[in-house]
């Protein structure tokens, strides 16, 4: 029993190490198989990231206007992740919108320089997230939205990994492109369902339904954008999936 618990802890820590810059205190014993299994804990890591954002927002909101507090919370998530997902968003939009064919899109996405489409995507997505969050009713709603959106949006990336193939033979997401065990998707989805239930309890069932609808809409829209051209996913498109799904949740909640 103890070895099994230790193995799961190492898998969780690998997920944390992969998605954030939070130091991990133990040896993780990296293997490609463990990295693939780590996807089951992406939503839990999302809860950690969202909690950091929520704490940053709460502390800032004690002395600053809501929009400034939301900006600080957004900056906190970029710092804790090393802007990992934002980088994927920019690369995805540069690659998909900056080329006519699949090979050229994949080539552009490996370029570390940011282009016009990537820059515009970052500006529009981040500014819209800040605007949508700032429009929410109160501190409790914003804090709940931050935590839930980071959970649901990372569940969205797991679903992409589980239902499409990796689009290139190498890259940071390559080791994860083994066929995901169904248990990974089940655990990630269960975590998302718990988050939805918490939204319903803390706020209202209508709010939970709106958050779910936003997550589903964002997931579908970003996949319609990159998947027809790439015929699969990359590490960059997973980052874009997280960002667009998170954004869509905030927009959905802003309709309240």
């Amino acid at each position: 029993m103890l070895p099994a618990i230790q193995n799961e802890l190492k898998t969780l820590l690998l997920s944390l190490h992969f998605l954030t810059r939070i130091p991990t205190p133990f040896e993780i014993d990296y293997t490609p198989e463990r990295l693939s299994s780590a996807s089951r804990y992406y939503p839990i890591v999302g809860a950690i990231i969202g909690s950091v954002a929520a704490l940053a927002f709460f502390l800032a909101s004690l002395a600053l206007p809501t929009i400034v507090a939301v900006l600080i919370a957004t900056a906190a998530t970029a710092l804790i992740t090393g802007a990992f997902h934002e980088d994927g968003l920019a690369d995805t939009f540069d690659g998909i919108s900056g080329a006519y064919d699949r090979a050229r899109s994949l080539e552009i996405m490996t370029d570390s320089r940011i282009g016009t489409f990537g820059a515009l995507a970052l500006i529009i997505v981040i500014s819209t997230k800040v605007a949508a969050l700032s429009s929410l009713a109160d501190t409790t709603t914003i804090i709940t939205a931050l935590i839930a959106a980071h959970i649901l949006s990372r569940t969205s990336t797991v679903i992409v990994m589980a239902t499409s193939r990796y689009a290139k033979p190498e890259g940071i997401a390559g080791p994860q492109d083994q066929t995901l065990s169904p248990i990974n998707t089940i655990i990630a989805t269960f975590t998302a369902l718990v988050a939805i239930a918490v939204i319903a309890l803390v706020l209202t069932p209508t709010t939970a339904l709106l958050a779910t609808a936003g997550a589903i809409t964002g997931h579908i829209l970003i996949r319609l954008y990159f998947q027809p051209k790439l015929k699969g996913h990359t590490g960059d498109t997973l980052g874009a999936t997280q960002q667009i799904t998170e954004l869509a949740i905030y927009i959905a909640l802003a309709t309240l």
Side-chain angles (χ1 to χ4, degrees):
M1 185 67 174
L2 186 58
I5 294 173
Q6 290 176 335
N7 181 66
E8 286 305 307
L9 177 60
K10 288 180 179 180
T11 303
L12 172 60
L13 289 175
L14 179 56
S15 180
L16 185 69
H17 177 77
F18 185 68
L19 294 181
T20 75
R21 290 188 171 181
I22 298 173
T24 49
F26 308 109
E27 289 296 324
I28 296 172
D29 298 335
Y30 167 84
T31 65
E33 293 76 18
R34 174 162 281 148
L35 184 56
S36 178
S37 296
S39 63
R40 70 182 68 170
Y41 294 121
Y42 284 5
I44 292 177
V45 175
I48 295 170
I49 296 168
S51 296
V52 170
L55 178 61
F57 168 78
F58 175 74
L59 294 175
S61 69
L62 296 176
L64 297 168
T66 298
I67 190 169
V68 179
V70 169
L71 277 166
I72 290 171
T74 303
T77 64
L79 285 172
I80 198 174
T81 63
F84 189 42
H85 306 90
E86 289 84 354
D87 179 68
L89 174 76
D91 286 344
T92 297
F93 276 79
D94 274 337
I96 301 301
S97 296
Y100 289 104
D101 61 87
R102 179 177 182 273
R104 179 58 181 154
S105 288
L106 290 171
E107 181 182 349
I108 290 172
M109 289 165 71
T110 61
D111 192 332
S112 60
R113 295 170 295 181
I114 188 169
T116 302
F117 293 110
L120 280 172
L122 283 172
I123 292 168
I124 292 169
V125 168
I126 293 173
S127 60
T128 307
K129 282 200 288 188
V130 170
L133 273 169
S134 300
S135 73
L136 299 184
D138 52 39
T139 297
T140 301
T141 304
I142 294 173
I143 287 173
T144 305
L146 281 167
I147 298 172
H150 281 281
I151 294 171
L152 296 177
S153 61
R154 283 166 181 82
T155 304
S156 184
T157 67
V158 177
I159 293 171
V160 171
M161 293 167 62
T163 57
S164 68
R165 68 182 184 88
Y166 193 58
K168 56 183 181 179
E170 72 284 328
I172 193 168
Q176 299 180 80
D177 195 51
Q178 304 174 36
T179 301
L180 287 187
S181 168
I183 191 64
N184 293 325
T185 309
I186 291 169
I187 291 173
T189 303
F190 176 77
T191 307
L193 292 174
V194 170
I196 292 167
V198 170
I199 298 173
L201 289 172
V202 173
L203 300 175
T204 65
T206 299
T207 307
L209 287 173
L210 278 173
T212 305
I216 293 170
T217 301
H219 179 92
I220 291 171
L221 288 177
I222 190 61
R223 290 190 74 166
L224 287 175
Y225 177 66
F226 70 76
Q227 202 154 312
K229 180 174 284 187
L230 297 184
K231 311 302 181 186
H233 69 271
T234 69
D236 287 326
T237 65
L238 294 179
T241 298
Q242 187 279 319
Q243 287 286 294
I244 297 301
T245 304
E246 181 190 352
L247 170 64
I249 292 168
Y250 298 149
I251 291 173
L253 294 179
T255 63
L256 283 169

